[in-house]
Amino acid sequence: MNFQQLRIIRETIRQKFNLTEAAAALYTSQSGVSKHIKDLEDELGVQLFVRKGKRLLGLTEPGQALSSIVDRMLIDADNIKRLSADFTSTNEGELIIATTHTQARYVLPPIVARFKQAFPKVHLILQQASPVEIAELVSHGEADIGIATESLTGYPQLVSFPYYRWEHSLIVPQGHQLSQQKTITLSDLANWPLITYHGGFTGRSKIDETFRQAKLTPDVVMSALDADVIKTYVELGMGVGIVASIAFDPERDRRLQQIETSLFGENVTLLAVRRNHVLRGFAYKFIELCNSELDIKVVREAALSEVA
Amino acid sequence: MNFQQLRIIRETIRQKFNLTEAAAALYTSQSGVSKHIKDLEDELGVQLFVRKGKRLLGLTEPGQALSSIVDRMLIDADNIKRLSADFTSTNEGELIIATTHTQARYVLPPIVARFKQAFPKVHLILQQASPVEIAELVSHGEADIGIATESLTGYPQLVSFPYYRWEHSLIVPQGHQLSQQKTITLSDLANWPLITYHGGFTGRSKIDETFRQAKLTPDVVMSALDADVIKTYVELGMGVGIVASIAFDPERDRRLQQIETSLFGENVTLLAVRRNHVLRGFAYKFIELCNSELDIKVVREAALSEVA
DNA sequence: GATGCTTACGATACCCGTAAAGATA
DNA sequence: TATCTTTACGGGTATCGTAAGCATC
């Protein structure tokens, strides 16, 4: 058994059992691919692929059982290389953060600034996406770190960590009737047209849930992907905004007024990395800049779960 | 990077950085070992070992970081071989169960009988040991399955499953005063000389804890490793026995009487396997015979945690 | 001087790619 | 017939072990 054989097994599966394409993907000859598979099967004494004559059609039962282990071994081989690179490295490279508007616009700027100062040679890419897309991006290795409030749990390939906690607050035009009220109840709100986030974004699920439990039907006249859009329409008087507290900036948003409220409970923004994968050192530093409790040891060990 | 290099790294660490012994353990030349290490270090661009002149003294920081990953890769390589062997196999091989007296004597016999019937060619070894020893045996791969009521949690290298639940009961000579009483309290018991298990065996900790919480000091006149010894001395009138309920056999123990009691609460006997390790198919079958909820899928997936 | 690591070197085995042949759609 | 896989074969390379040289204790 050698690594080339394992790579060939993995690639053959990825290329839907077409040895010619597997060979092309690995920049090698297809005769070699064929022979390697045969050799490995002989060594293990098991057929890994279902064959019909000379064509490969799929995985046998042992093939399936081995496939996931093969994957992990190749991931580990990569991990070893990445770890080593990190020790030699001059802190150069690329870091891809997949995140939502809310984070990119209101939370990350100071962190990015500090990161850039510490690692000027790292090419930092902020990839804006929806929470579901973020989970997918990180799962497939197209992003190193994902940050979002929704959707990051429930993916077995991801390991997530609490980043920070926050609440929603209300945004109204200056002098709005609600800003005079001492206390605001959910039923009060249900009487106003509301503008808030789209489903699946920035804690919208929590808002819906809160109304649902109170057996109220909110009048959401408009939903947007980000607080900037929401605030624009609140300024136009189209309704009362519900946004993340952090999205209000008294300096810029002078024509608006923020009303703190705990009506919708607490949200937790999560930070996710790919399970079983090692990141470059500066990636862990970025996470630590986000939340100092998440140091390299905590994050890496959790991601590698129990290597023993 | 190849497997021989990884094996050499692991063995060198195991042999306390003596390349000569590492070579001997791997049945290869020590010059080859030396070269392999050098080659791998060159390929990764990192020193893995701390050197003083020509001698190796220990692991560098990158060496430590890589070591655990290397271990897992080699474990996975083994897993692949074991899985394959299992598919070709004619259900021959060896199965080592590390367990306590209580299990071996009172619980496992019917299971062993059924197992032997199903897998006549498997050489089954019941290795009797203390709970702590059992955990060690399984951790080090010297046993495939560990069964005990104590000590099996808290080892990161082990994955444990609840096997069955049971309680302690009292054992007294026929006609003993306690057997006339309607109800028996803890303070009643504290007035009698007691005979029960040694510390760390068969729920003894639970017994101690129960007395401690009731602020009573039991008069344990004798402690033994197994119920047979305890029963012998109870027969001699030396005291009241506290043993696992299953350890009483009305047929054999005619001169004794069992008194069911829930004074000491419930105990859970656990079944443990080594994390990240695949077992032979018949080993999973043994576990399934113990508890039908623990089928191969449940146990293997839990042991491999998330291979993704 | 004994033990332990590295380097040099030759034999062997392994891996790869070309090419031809056979199978499948 | 076009696509795909297997087998055969030759060149190149990597690996292994012996042996010699050198450092450490």
Side-chain angles (χ1 to χ4, degrees):
Chain A
M1 173 161 53
N2 60 47
F3 283 106
Q4 180 69 342
Q5 289 168 344
L6 300 185
R7 274 191 293 269
I8 285 172
I9 297 296
R10 180 175 67 176
E11 200 57 41
T12 301
I13 297 168
R14 285 188 179 167
Q15 302 295 340
K16 309 216 172 119
F17 313 104
N18 182 324
L19 298 194
T20 308
E21 303 212 1
L26 295 172
Y27 304 102
T28 184
S29 71
Q30 138 246 48
S31 78
V33 168
S34 179
K35 184 157 196 322
H36 265 312
I37 290 177
K38 195 176 179 320
D39 287 349
L40 184 60
E41 287 184 329
D42 287 349
E43 179 183 340
L44 298 177
V46 209
Q47 288 253 114
L48 299 178
F49 294 98
V50 174
R51 291 173 170 78
K52 184 179 178 188
K54 284 195 172 181
R55 302 289 169 107
L56 306 199
L57 297 179
L59 286 168
T60 61
E61 198 189 334
Q64 284 170 27
L66 293 202
S67 163
S68 63
I69 299 183
V70 168
D71 283 350
R72 184 162 78 176
M73 293 179 77
L74 292 172
I75 288 171
D76 275 341
D78 252 26
N79 286 339
I80 282 185
K81 283 172 194 159
R82 200 155 325 117
L83 263 178
S84 309
D86 221 56
F87 279 100
T88 59
S89 89
T90 48
N91 280 326
E92 286 178 43
E94 194 179 76
L95 180 61
I96 304 179
I97 316 276
T99 186
T100 57
H101 173 90
T102 307
Q103 316 306 322
R105 171 88 163 72
Y106 298 104
V107 183
L108 295 182
I111 290 164
V112 168
R114 279 195 283 162
F115 180 81
K116 263 296 178 190
Q117 199 161 15
F119 303 98
K121 288 187 178 174
V122 172
H123 185 196
L124 186 67
I125 299 174
L126 279 187
Q127 180 147 1
Q128 198 178 322
S130 74
V132 171
E133 286 166 345
I134 290 170
E136 293 290 335
L137 284 168
V138 179
S139 287
H140 294 94
E142 291 160 45
D144 300 301
I145 302 172
I147 307 178
T149 305
E150 317 229 356
S151 306
L152 289 186
T153 56
Y155 283 74
Q157 296 188 355
L158 297 184
V159 182
S160 61
F161 307 88
Y163 171 10
Y164 68 95
R165 294 159 195 287
W166 54 272
E167 297 193 9
H168 288 100
S169 62
L170 305 178
I171 303 279
V172 292
Q174 286 284 5
H176 188 275
Q177 187 182 326
L178 276 178
S179 68
Q180 327 289 333
Q181 278 186 232
K182 259 191 184 164
T183 56
I184 299 177
T185 65
L186 266 188
S187 3
D188 291 339
L189 272 185
N191 292 325
W192 292 91
L194 300 178
I195 307 179
T196 187
Y197 301 101
H198 233 65
F201 281 78
T202 321
R204 167 67 187 264
S205 53
K206 200 89 182 235
I207 295 172
D208 290 344
E209 177 66 8
T210 306
F211 278 111
R212 208 187 53 72
Q213 281 189 1
K215 309 217 166 147
L216 291 169
T217 310
D219 175 24
V220 178
V221 293
M222 192 176 156
S223 64
L225 296 182
D226 62 79
D228 291 313
V229 172
I230 294 170
K231 288 191 290 190
T232 303
Y233 287 91
V234 171
E235 277 192 27
L236 290 178
M238 283 190 54
V240 174
I242 306 175
V243 298
S245 297
I246 35 170
F248 182 78
D249 178 350
E251 287 292 310
R252 287 179 203 244
D253 303 326
R254 299 202 176 171
R255 301 155 74 183
L256 295 174
Q257 207 169 342
Q258 181 177 38
I259 307 173
E260 306 274 5
T261 166
S262 293
L263 286 175
F264 302 107
E266 194 179 64
N267 286 273
V268 181
T269 294
L270 300 170
L271 207 147
V273 298
R274 190 138 75 126
R275 188 182 293 281
N276 285 335
H277 281 254
V278 169
L279 300 176
R280 294 292 304 268
F282 50 72
Y284 295 111
K285 282 297 176 190
F286 186 95
I287 294 173
E288 197 174 344
L289 281 175
C290 288
N291 181 337
S292 59
E293 287 179 21
L294 302 177
D295 63 16
I296 181 168
K297 243 183 117 70
V298 169
V299 175
R300 196 163 67 194
E301 310 240 309
L304 294 179
S305 43
E306 290 84 8
V307 187
Chain B
M1 173 161 52
N2 60 48
F3 283 105
Q4 180 70 341
Q5 288 169 344
L6 300 184
R7 274 191 294 269
I8 285 173
I9 296 297
R10 179 175 66 176
E11 200 58 41
T12 301
I13 297 169
R14 285 189 179 166
Q15 301 295 340
K16 307 208 173 130
F17 313 103
N18 183 324
L19 298 195
T20 309
E21 303 212 2
L26 294 173
Y27 304 104
T28 184
S29 71
Q30 147 245 38
S31 78
V33 167
S34 179
K35 185 157 194 322
H36 264 313
I37 290 177
K38 195 175 179 321
D39 287 349
L40 184 60
E41 288 184 329
D42 287 349
E43 178 183 341
L44 298 177
V46 209
Q47 287 253 115
L48 299 178
F49 293 99
V50 175
R51 291 173 169 79
K52 185 180 179 186
K54 284 195 174 183
R55 301 287 168 111
L56 305 200
L57 296 179
L59 285 168
T60 61
E61 199 190 332
Q64 284 170 27
L66 294 202
S67 164
S68 63
I69 298 183
V70 168
D71 283 350
R72 183 162 79 176
M73 293 179 78
L74 291 171
I75 287 171
D76 275 341
D78 253 26
N79 286 339
I80 282 185
K81 283 172 195 157
R82 201 157 324 118
L83 264 178
S84 311
D86 221 55
F87 280 100
T88 58
S89 90
T90 47
N91 281 326
E92 287 179 42
E94 194 179 75
L95 179 62
I96 305 180
I97 316 275
T99 186
T100 58
H101 173 90
T102 307
Q103 316 305 324
R105 172 87 163 71
Y106 297 105
V107 183
L108 294 182
I111 289 163
V112 167
R114 278 195 285 162
F115 180 81
K116 264 294 178 191
Q117 201 161 12
F119 302 98
K121 289 187 177 173
V122 173
H123 185 196
L124 185 67
I125 300 175
L126 279 186
Q127 180 148 1
Q128 198 178 323
S130 74
V132 171
E133 287 167 345
I134 290 170
E136 293 289 335
L137 284 168
V138 178
S139 287
H140 294 96
E142 291 160 46
D144 300 301
I145 301 173
I147 306 178
T149 304
E150 317 228 355
S151 305
L152 290 187
T153 55
Y155 283 73
Q157 295 187 357
L158 297 184
V159 181
S160 61
F161 307 87
Y163 171 9
Y164 68 96
R165 293 157 195 288
W166 54 271
E167 298 193 7
H168 288 99
S169 62
L170 306 178
I171 302 279
V172 292
Q174 285 286 5
H176 188 277
Q177 188 181 325
L178 276 177
S179 68
Q180 327 291 331
Q181 278 186 232
K182 258 192 188 164
T183 57
I184 300 177
T185 65
L186 266 188
S187 3
D188 291 340
L189 272 185
N191 293 326
W192 290 92
L194 300 178
I195 306 179
T196 188
Y197 300 102
H198 233 65
F201 281 78
T202 322
R204 168 67 187 263
S205 53
K206 199 89 184 237
I207 295 172
D208 290 346
E209 177 66 9
T210 306
F211 278 113
R212 208 187 53 73
Q213 282 190 2
K215 308 219 164 142
L216 289 170
T217 310
D219 176 23
V220 178
V221 293
M222 191 176 158
S223 63
L225 297 182
D226 62 79
D228 291 313
V229 172
I230 295 170
K231 288 190 289 190
T232 303
Y233 287 91
V234 171
E235 277 191 28
L236 290 177
M238 283 189 55
V240 174
I242 306 175
V243 297
S245 298
I246 34 170
F248 181 78
D249 178 350
E251 288 292 309
R252 289 178 202 242
D253 303 327
R254 299 203 178 171
R255 301 156 75 184
L256 294 174
Q257 206 169 341
Q258 182 177 37
I259 307 173
E260 305 274 5
T261 164
S262 295
L263 285 175
F264 302 107
E266 193 178 66
N267 286 273
V268 181
T269 294
L270 300 169
L271 207 147
V273 298
R274 188 138 75 127
R275 189 182 293 280
N276 285 335
H277 281 255
V278 169
L279 299 177
R280 294 293 305 267
F282 50 73
Y284 295 111
K285 283 295 177 190
F286 186 94
I287 294 174
E288 197 174 344
L289 281 175
C290 288
N291 181 335
S292 58
E293 287 179 21
L294 302 176
D295 63 16
I296 180 168
K297 243 184 115 70
V298 169
V299 175
R300 196 163 68 192
E301 309 241 310
L304 294 180
S305 40
E306 290 84 7
V307 185

